[in-house]
Amino acid sequence: MSTISESLFGVIENRISPIAARLSSQRHVVAIKDGFISSMPFLIVGSFMLLFAHPPFSATSDWAFAQWWLGMVERHTDQIMMPYNMTMGIMAVYIAAAIAYNLAQSYKMNGFMAAMLSLMAFLVVASPQNNGALPVGSLGGEGIFTAILVSLYATELMHFLQKHNIGFKLPEQVPPKIRQSFDLLIPILAIFITLFPLSLFIQHQFGLLLPQAIMSIFAPIISASDSLPAILIAVLLCHLLWFAGIHGAVIVGGILQAFWLTNLGINQQELNAGQPITQIFIEPFWQFFIVVGGSGSTMGLVFLYLRSRSAHLRSIGKLGLVPSMFNINEPVIFGSPVVMNPLLFIPFITAPLVNAVIAYTATRTNLVNHVISLAPWTTPGPIGAAWSTGWDFRAIILVGVLLCVSTLIYYPFFKMYEKQLLEQEEPNLQPAENPL
């Protein structure tokens, strides 16, 4: 068994960790991750307003408050939905600008000008003017993958032109802001020479906008990403990286963010259309059901630590209790430590995998609602679960069940680790012999 463990840890440390470390610092991956993070405040506010527009009451409810809320939504739907339409409804617009800004910053270029170029390029292919109006159908979840590709292309184009000094050369006496604006003339022309003809060709040949064509290409991948095997692979990879001392949630979450937001956009469109909601694998599903209390679903482990006979584990439990309530568990992961600890390896991997299976099954069988809203990841688990599922209070019960299951998984390994620590601590507790 020890030979198997050593071989596994060797693979993680020597093969997986170096690849993950390079990936986590790759400028395009970092720009995409930071771009999504920058867009989150808009998406959270928009999601909250969507919940307000869909009260958690039946139309036949006799409760006066429910009837008042339902009536108000019916009378003022357009006004109530406006914050959603201007945030979640056009989320790809924010993402396109934010990714370009962060990528340009990594190249030491003007981030604002890159964001403007990316925004223009995205609107050219995703929302061409028609009869005096800009169609918005591809500016939401449908346009996310296009926003990523276009923002990277526009920024790399701008970087290439600047690197090779291709552009208008104005005298130094010209104010800097004017010179910066003229620096965009050639990139703008290049966008219209490259992306615009491509968009026209796709519209003419297939009757689709570029985002619709790209979504049709990504449709099988999006569908596969919402399956239980895909979820389990993502959970396993994330926690293997954590075990090697690399922030697996940042790497895996950054890669999955586009799929999470696309799935969320699909669910919200289905909700607004009154159709059955279909997508499961969305960020709140990960945050509030799979990793209760943080990566590894360590909230149950914290509770075990609080009652431990080991002084070290009790101190870690006290230190990690409050952060874990807000899904921050670095004190537990590095204080225990969980990283490269063979005794805690199995439960650290197994607990979130089991949680994923239970939560996926419960959602697929409609024991709890699907996720339809974004809640801040630092929201305490039961509240975040209810919030993100449209105030379905069955989600609170599910979180409690998952917490109990993860605690039971950790318990035997916790006892073995506690015994090991007690053997180390007890000699230090013996009173010193009196030399007299």
Side-chain angles (χ1 to χ4, degrees):
M1 182 66 181
S2 60
T3 304
I4 297 175
S5 300
E6 290 174 3
S7 301
L8 178 60
F9 298 156
V11 170
I12 295 173
E13 187 173 6
N14 300 321
R15 299 290 180 85
I16 298 178
S17 295
I19 296 173
R22 287 196 295 270
L23 182 64
S24 65
S25 60
Q26 206 279 331
R27 71 169 73 243
H28 299 89
V29 174
V30 172
I32 293 171
K33 173 178 65 69
D34 291 343
F36 281 120
I37 293 173
S38 301
S39 306
M40 277 300 148
F42 301 97
L43 310 187
I44 290 172
V45 171
S47 293
F48 182 80
M49 293 309 298
L50 181 67
L51 292 182
F52 191 75
H54 293 273
F57 308 114
S58 169
T60 59
S61 174
D62 294 329
W63 190 20
F65 176 74
Q67 287 300 316
W68 171 81
W69 191 343
L70 290 165
M72 183 181 63
V73 169
E74 185 177 356
R75 292 190 302 271
H76 305 289
T77 298
D78 291 341
Q79 292 82 357
I80 293 172
M81 286 293 291
M82 184 61 70
Y84 167 81
N85 292 331
M86 293 296 100
T87 51
M88 280 294 303
I90 58 171
M91 64 174 134
V93 171
Y94 302 106
I95 291 169
I99 292 175
Y101 178 89
N102 285 284
L103 182 57
Q105 291 285 91
S106 75
Y107 282 126
K108 308 299 182 185
M109 298 193 307
N110 188 310
F112 177 76
M113 303 305 283
M116 293 299 98
L117 179 66
S118 174
L119 181 58
M120 184 216 72
F122 177 66
L123 291 176
V124 164
V125 300
S127 186
Q129 186 178 21
N130 185 19
N131 296 325
L134 298 179
V136 299
S138 295
L139 301 184
E142 185 177 73
I144 289 176
F145 288 101
T146 304
I148 295 172
L149 296 175
V150 167
S151 62
L152 296 179
Y153 171 72
T155 309
E156 287 294 340
L157 176 63
M158 182 176 172
H159 177 246
F160 174 84
L161 295 173
Q162 287 192 11
K163 183 178 179 180
H164 293 84
N165 295 316
I166 301 174
F168 292 100
K169 305 301 179 186
L170 298 180
E172 290 296 326
Q173 293 80 3
V174 177
K177 292 298 181 183
I178 296 178
R179 278 192 282 114
Q180 289 174 7
S181 66
F182 271 78
D183 287 342
L184 274 188
L185 287 177
I186 299 300
I188 290 172
L189 290 174
I191 291 294
F192 279 106
I193 292 172
T194 55
L195 278 184
F196 186 50
L198 174 63
S199 178
L200 291 178
F201 173 77
I202 292 175
Q203 290 179 57
H204 178 72
Q205 288 294 114
F206 305 102
L208 300 172
L209 293 177
L210 185 60
Q212 295 168 342
I214 291 176
M215 275 296 289
S216 66
I217 295 173
F218 277 95
I221 302 175
I222 294 171
S223 177
S225 71
D226 199 53
S227 65
L228 181 58
I231 295 173
L232 295 179
I233 291 172
V235 172
L236 180 62
L237 178 59
C238 171
H239 290 82
L240 285 175
L241 293 175
W242 259 122
F243 194 74
I246 297 174
H247 202 304
V250 169
I251 296 174
V252 175
I255 296 171
L256 292 175
Q257 197 67 243
F259 296 95
W260 284 341
L261 287 178
T262 300
N263 287 339
L264 178 64
I266 293 171
N267 280 2
Q268 292 181 343
Q269 289 176 0
E270 292 169 342
L271 176 66
N272 288 326
Q275 299 172 348
I277 299 174
T278 56
Q279 306 302 108
I280 293 177
F281 196 30
I282 302 172
E283 185 173 7
F285 179 84
W286 176 288
Q287 296 289 359
F288 304 123
F289 294 131
I290 296 178
V291 290
V292 182
S295 295
S297 192
T298 54
M299 193 68 193
L301 183 62
V302 170
F303 289 149
L304 292 173
Y305 281 0
L306 290 173
R307 301 296 300 272
S308 175
R309 292 182 296 150
S310 165
H312 172 71
L313 296 183
R314 280 200 311 275
S315 65
I316 296 300
K318 294 174 183 177
L319 181 65
L321 177 61
V322 174
S324 291
M325 293 174 63
F326 297 92
N327 303 312
I328 300 170
N329 68 340
E330 279 80 357
V332 178
I333 288 179
F334 295 107
S336 296
V338 173
V339 173
M340 297 305 290
N341 185 335
L343 282 176
L344 295 179
F345 172 73
I346 293 177
F348 185 74
I349 298 289
T350 304
L353 289 173
V354 173
N355 282 356
V357 173
I358 295 173
Y360 184 90
T361 303
T363 306
R364 181 62 71 194
T365 57
N366 293 316
L367 291 177
V368 296
N369 288 347
H370 290 64
V371 171
I372 57 171
S373 174
L374 282 179
W377 66 271
T378 51
T379 307
I383 299 173
W387 178 345
S388 60
T389 55
W391 301 114
D392 181 6
F393 289 94
R394 294 174 299 176
I396 297 177
I397 298 174
L398 177 58
V399 171
V401 171
L402 297 174
L403 177 59
C404 293
V405 169
S406 60
T407 304
L408 290 174
I409 292 172
Y410 272 107
Y411 182 76
F413 300 93
F414 153 75
K415 294 302 290 185
M416 286 188 287
Y417 188 40
E418 179 187 54
K419 180 180 178 181
Q420 183 184 90
L421 290 179
L422 286 173
E423 291 175 353
Q424 298 172 5
E425 292 174 2
E426 285 177 357
N428 297 326
L429 297 177
Q430 298 296 328
E433 292 184 7
N434 189 340
L436 300 178

